[in-house]
Amino acid sequence: MTDTGHPMIPTLAQDTYHQRTVAGDRTDVEIVTKALSLGMNVVLKGPPGVGKSYLAKFLCARTNRPLFRITLSETTYREDLLGHLHLLSSDAGTTETQWIDGPLTRAVREGGILLLDEINAADANTVAALNAVMEGKDTRTLTIPQTGETITPHEEFRVIATANPGYQGTYELNEAFEDRFRHVKLAYLPQDVETALILSRTDLGPERREEIESLVSLAGRLREAYMDGELSTPVTTRELVRIARFMEDDFMSLRTAAESELVARVSEYDESLVETYIQKRL
């Protein structure tokens, strides 16, 4: 898309996202870009830390789309999406109300991407605010109850949602709402790719590759434990990069850096298991 200079277009370098092949010979970036170009909304599914939100940000940066982001939870209300009335005081001592657009309303008006992080963490009443605006292209509208205004969405308005299926504290989305999305499933990076990514984001030389391979292998085992319900906290690529950064200039050994990051990160219930895996694998 043409660069309009919109202030909400993210700025990212070309090589900051590692694409994954998810269907045939098509990558996650290609599939989501195609869906958006066809006017579809997209839900990215996968465990925490696989880069779902970052993929949305990367796509907006590469296609010049404004990005409006909100993280949903049980305490998110419709007003957090739509906006709110704000009381203003004038110099004459009077007060008046002014409507302030929320992220959904701004994206609808300005033709941006609304990124809904953790869509399945919001309750049904909050999600219901999206029903009318995610109808077919010729019938979709957004009504603001507080002002009575009805908005016809910009033709480039889209929704990208992220979901952690089965994650603690989440809800099942109803089928009618899920049907409004093109579903894309993401998994963790292959170990060789994740190893290369970590090395590229640190000052560690190629002679440290074997250590990083061991770290990534440990992360893979901890992720399996998380998926099997043995651990309540997953391991993300961001954490592995932080561990590797503390290995730079021999500030910490691999084992010490891993323990200081991962053991502090998990709950007390998980500490002993994580320590055991670290001792066995590093």
Side-chain angles (χ1 to χ4, degrees), residues 203-223:
D203 293 331
L204 297 177
E207 72 279 1
R208 309 294 295 273
R209 183 180 183 88
E210 187 172 338
E211 289 179 277
I212 299 303
E213 288 176 340
S214 298
L215 176 63
V216 171
S217 177
L218 167 68
R221 183 64 192 93
L222 291 174
R223 288 163 180 166

Side-chain angles (χ1 to χ4, degrees), residues 190-207:
Q191 290 194 4
D192 59 334
V193 176
E194 191 167 31
T195 298
L197 184 152
I198 294 168
L199 289 171
S200 72
R201 295 187 180 178
T202 67
D203 293 331
L204 297 177
E207 72 279 1

Side-chain angles (χ1 to χ4, degrees), residues 41-137:
N41 304 299
V42 178
V43 59
L44 305 173
K45 292 185 172 182
V50 297
K52 301 185 292 296
S53 300
Y54 196 85
L55 170 56
K57 186 177 180 181
F58 177 79
L59 284 170
C60 287
R62 304 314 308 165
T63 58
N64 296 318
R65 294 177 181 272
L67 179 67
F68 301 89
R69 180 178 182 179
I70 183 170
T71 299
L72 304 180
S73 69
E74 290 182 335
T75 60
T76 304
Y77 300 101
R78 290 191 182 203
E79 291 77 9
D80 297 314
L81 293 170
L82 293 171
H84 61 276
L85 289 169
H86 182 64
L87 281 176
L88 296 176
S89 299
S90 68
D91 294 336
T94 60
T95 59
E96 61 181 17
T97 57
Q98 180 183 26
W99 174 256
I100 306 296
D101 284 342
L104 168 58
T105 308
R106 287 197 64 188
V108 165
R109 292 190 199 275
E110 300 172 33
I113 296 291
L114 176 66
L115 174 57
L116 300 172
D117 270 324
E118 302 182 30
I119 183 69
N120 53 336
D123 66 32
N125 289 329
T126 301
V127 171
L130 299 162
N131 286 339
V133 80
M134 292 178 61
E135 292 287 351
K137 190 172 183 179

Side-chain angles (χ1 to χ4, degrees), residues 3 6 31 37 45 50 93 97-98 116 126 128 133 139 157 168 177 239-240 252 259 263 274:
D3 186 357
H6 195 290
I31 290 171
S37 71
K45 292 185 172 182
V50 297
T97 57
Q98 180 183 26
L116 300 172
T126 301
V133 80
T139 59
F157 167 70
Q168 184 177 3
F177 185 69
E239 290 174 300
L240 301 186
M252 284 184 177
E259 286 178 338
V263 176
V274 172

Side-chain angles (χ1 to χ4, degrees), residues 153-173:
H154 190 289
E155 63 178 9
E156 293 297 336
F157 167 70
R158 306 282 189 274
V159 175
I160 296 179
T162 70
N164 303 322
Y167 196 56
Q168 184 177 3
T170 61
Y171 300 91
E172 291 293 329
L173 299 176

Side-chain angles (χ1 to χ4, degrees), residues 46-52 118 163-168 186-188 194 215-216 218-240 242-243 258 261-267 269-271 273-274 277:
V50 297
K52 301 185 292 296
E118 302 182 30
N164 303 322
Y167 196 56
Q168 184 177 3
L186 301 181
Y188 291 108
E194 191 167 31
L215 176 63
V216 171
L218 167 68
R221 183 64 192 93
L222 291 174
R223 288 163 180 166
E224 289 175 4
Y226 167 75
M227 298 302 291
D228 292 340
E230 297 176 46
L231 288 177
S232 58
T233 307
V235 178
T236 69
T237 302
R238 290 186 295 272
E239 290 174 300
L240 301 186
R242 288 198 293 266
I243 291 169
E261 170 74 29
L262 298 179
V263 176
R265 170 82 164 79
V266 300
S267 66
Y269 175 80
D270 291 338
E271 283 184 7
L273 183 59
V274 172
Y277 278 127

